[in-house]
Amino acid sequence: MMSKPASQILRSLRRLPALLLRSACPIVGGQAVMEGIMMRHGEGYALAARHPSGDIVVERFPWFSLTRHPLLKKPFLRGFPVLLETLVNGIKALNRSAIVQGDEDETPISGPQLMLTMLLALFMAVLLFVVAPHGLSLLMQALGVGGGVEGLTFHLWDGFYKCCIFMGYIWLISFVPDIRRVFQYHGAEHKTIHAFENGGIVDVMAAAGMSRLHPRCGTTFLLFVICISIILHAVLVPALLHIYTPQNVVAKHALTIAFKLLLVIPISALAYELIRYAARLSGGPWASVLRTPGLILQRLTTAEPDKAQIEVALAALREALGEETAGREIRTADYIVRSVERP
């Protein structure tokens, strides 16, 4: 009879080919857009969208990057630049998907338009997730159920309202039909990436059987940002006001909000490293603690896709990878590769 250690070694050897194949799997990320999906790999990304005619149209673009310098690829320095470049490329992909749908009011976005769009998006994010929770926490102080900005209870209320606004925003937009379609494509993106990372043939059937939830999702990243911000604000804002507190009340709260905005840089850096760490964990209680909240939240930001939506995701994956498929066979429906004129 084989000893227990020997049987464990034998089982490990049997798993070795699959483990080697999985470790060699290229990292792919994506984003759902209007009637389509953007898949990014390496220095470029593919945008696949369902044209009103029914055809799948795929276009390839270079990835706009802020992390080409070796220093900005270092852990804890790359998080904020990655956040900005993801926002830039995401806006470009959304704009391009609208063009594929034949929206005559849409044109390729120019540099100044992109900058203005980014500034408006950042302004709305600051208003919703920094200024509004801060104002509501002041209201709790005025009602006598919270302390001042120097104390812990103020920041607990602030964090509570951040979470409520975030969850409420996602829940409300899920009722918009077009956004619901985007959430379905989001699910198709996750299923397709799961099928690719799982090994073997990647087709509609393989992807359909996978989970629509993925630990590397940007939704999880945003949740980590909110959780880390609650902790850092509760610790660092009182510390700042202990060192220097303006005499004017308005100036004190203006300083606090400005400091919170500055903290976005280290918060995004920590959140980025945390999500990468959580994705690398193979299992266990710690992995569950880190992954479960984000996976639960993804039940709101993803929906079960249909076969046609998975076909779009497969086309995006195939074109994003090019020849670097790690030995996997990716079976796609017919699609049209459209060349795009570069400015």
Side-chain angles (χ1 to χ4, degrees):
M1 183 175 178
M2 188 179 297
S3 66
K4 186 176 180 180
S7 64
Q8 289 175 337
I9 292 172
L10 183 60
R11 283 197 300 270
S12 298
L13 289 173
R14 286 173 179 170
R15 296 192 195 106
L16 186 59
L19 290 172
L20 289 174
L21 183 60
R22 186 169 297 180
S23 65
C25 176
I27 296 177
V28 180
Q31 174 186 316
V33 294
M34 292 178 60
E35 290 301 322
I37 290 171
M38 177 260 279
M39 289 277 191
R40 185 253 175 126
H41 171 60
E43 299 301 317
Y45 70 89
L47 174 66
R50 182 76 66 176
H51 191 270
S53 66
D55 293 329
I56 301 174
V57 177
V58 184
E59 300 171 336
R60 289 183 55 83
F61 299 91
W63 182 263
F64 170 78
S65 178
L66 295 171
T67 56
R68 298 193 187 280
H69 193 282
L71 184 64
L72 294 178
K73 294 181 180 179
K74 300 290 185 183
F76 299 102
L77 293 179
R78 58 192 174 184
F80 187 64
V82 167
L83 177 63
L84 291 179
E85 70 180 37
T86 301
L87 182 60
V88 170
N89 289 288
I91 291 172
K92 286 182 175 179
L94 279 168
N95 177 258
R96 193 69 202 178
S97 67
I99 295 173
V100 173
Q101 296 310 304
D103 191 336
E104 296 179 356
D105 294 331
E106 294 288 347
T107 56
I109 194 165
S110 64
Q113 289 173 326
L114 177 62
M115 182 62 67
L116 179 61
T117 304
M118 278 191 61
L119 289 174
L120 287 173
L122 291 171
F123 174 76
M124 289 300 298
V126 168
L127 192 64
L128 280 175
F129 302 113
V130 179
V131 177
H134 191 91
L136 290 169
S137 301
L138 283 173
L139 177 61
M140 294 298 102
Q141 181 186 357
L143 294 174
V145 291
V149 71
E150 302 87 353
L152 177 62
T153 56
F154 183 94
H155 300 287
L156 291 179
W157 277 117
D158 185 86
F160 170 76
Y161 283 118
K162 271 194 187 78
C163 293
C164 288
I165 291 171
F166 180 59
M167 298 289 288
Y169 175 77
I170 292 174
W171 180 72
L172 284 173
I173 65 174
S174 68
F175 290 99
V176 179
D178 287 345
I179 299 299
R180 185 69 181 174
R181 295 280 299 172
V182 171
F183 284 178
Q184 286 182 287
Y185 276 105
H186 192 190
E189 173 218 329
H190 286 180
K191 283 174 171 283
T192 302
I193 292 175
H194 269 306
F196 176 68
E197 293 174 340
N198 195 54
I201 296 172
V202 186
D203 58 10
V204 171
M205 184 176 295
M210 296 294 169
S211 171
R212 73 176 199 263
L213 315 177
H214 198 287
R216 286 203 316 271
C217 178
T219 306
T220 306
F221 172 78
L222 292 176
L223 186 61
F224 282 166
V225 165
I226 290 174
C227 293
I228 293 171
S229 70
I230 294 171
I231 297 170
L232 289 188
H233 291 173
V235 174
L236 297 181
V237 171
L240 171 68
L241 295 176
H242 179 73
I243 296 170
Y244 171 70
T245 304
Q247 296 301 313
N248 184 278
V249 174
V250 175
K252 180 172 73 171
H253 287 284
L255 174 65
T256 302
I257 291 174
F259 185 56
K260 287 180 178 180
L261 293 178
L262 187 62
L263 286 176
V264 169
I265 297 174
I267 287 169
S268 59
L270 287 170
Y272 183 75
E273 299 307 324
L274 190 59
I275 194 173
R276 287 178 65 93
Y277 171 70
R280 287 197 301 268
L281 294 174
S282 58
W286 183 230
S288 297
V289 168
L290 290 177
R291 292 177 182 174
T292 301
L295 296 178
I296 292 173
L297 184 59
Q298 286 178 47
R299 293 188 179 278
L300 287 178
T301 63
T302 63
E304 284 296 326
D306 57 29
K307 176 185 174 183
Q309 291 165 328
I310 295 175
E311 288 176 346
V312 174
L314 288 168
L317 177 68
R318 169 71 267 187
E319 285 300 311
L321 289 168
E323 298 301 319
E324 195 177 347
T325 60
R328 286 135 174 90
E329 181 183 352
I330 302 175
R331 296 177 179 174
T332 67
D334 292 336
Y335 60 87
I336 300 167
V337 179
R338 180 186 291 177
S339 60
V340 182
E341 293 184 6
R342 300 289 184 261

